Amino acid sequence: MTEFSLSQVVVSQEGEQLYSFEYAATVTKTSTTLVESFAQLGLIEPVGVMLSRRDITRIAQIQRLRHDLGLNLVGAAMVLDMAQEIANLRTQNQAYQSLLDTMLDIKTQK
């Protein structure tokens, strides 16, 4: 694994700032071994050996669910995935409702 200093800034092709596993471990108060385990289990999606801010947030959320609710890694990841799916469905529902409202407004104006 390539070593990166904590102060090094790496930017993805999409312009997203990326962070080392060491930085992620420091800010989430875990170990690089645990961060690597998260990556190996597919709980986070590193870009090579770097992580996005979203991945670091997910590590912190998983750790909080493990600590607060006593969930195991897979259970915590499932809770986060379901919460994201619910948020996506709510967004879709709002878009469909807005479209329906627009269509009803057009129909009543005729």
Side-chain angles (χ1 to χ4, degrees):
M1 180 153 106
T2 306
E3 293 295 322
F4 292 91
S5 73
L6 295 181
S7 62
Q8 184 174 1
V9 176
V10 177
V11 179
S12 72
Q13 291 179 343
E14 295 80 26
E16 182 179 21
Q17 190 166 345
L18 301 173
Y19 306 89
S20 67
F21 282 27
E22 292 82 4
Y23 177 83
T26 299
V27 299
T28 59
K29 299 178 182 163
T30 61
S31 67
T32 55
T33 303
L34 185 59
V35 173
E36 290 168 356
S37 295
F38 280 27
Q40 290 171 350
L41 292 170
L43 303 178
I44 55 175
E45 298 175 3
V47 178
V49 294
M50 303 298 285
L51 298 171
S52 67
R53 184 170 289 151
R54 180 183 64 254
D55 288 321
I56 294 171
T57 299
R58 187 167 168 90
I59 293 167
Q61 291 171 329
I62 290 171
Q63 288 298 89
R64 190 169 55 249
L65 287 169
R66 291 178 70 201
H67 180 265
D68 293 350
L69 300 179
L71 299 176
N72 63 22
L73 286 176
V74 175
M78 287 177 65
V79 166
L80 293 177
D81 290 344
M82 286 188 287
Q84 183 61 51
E85 184 64 24
I86 289 168
N88 292 343
L89 290 171
R90 283 184 178 153
T91 300
Q92 284 179 346
N93 188 40
Q94 289 172 347
Y96 291 140
Q97 188 61 49
S98 178
L99 179 62
L100 179 60
D101 291 345
T102 301
M103 291 173 67
L104 289 174
D105 286 345
I106 292 170
K107 186 176 181 181
T108 57
Q109 290 175 0
K110 288 185 177 183

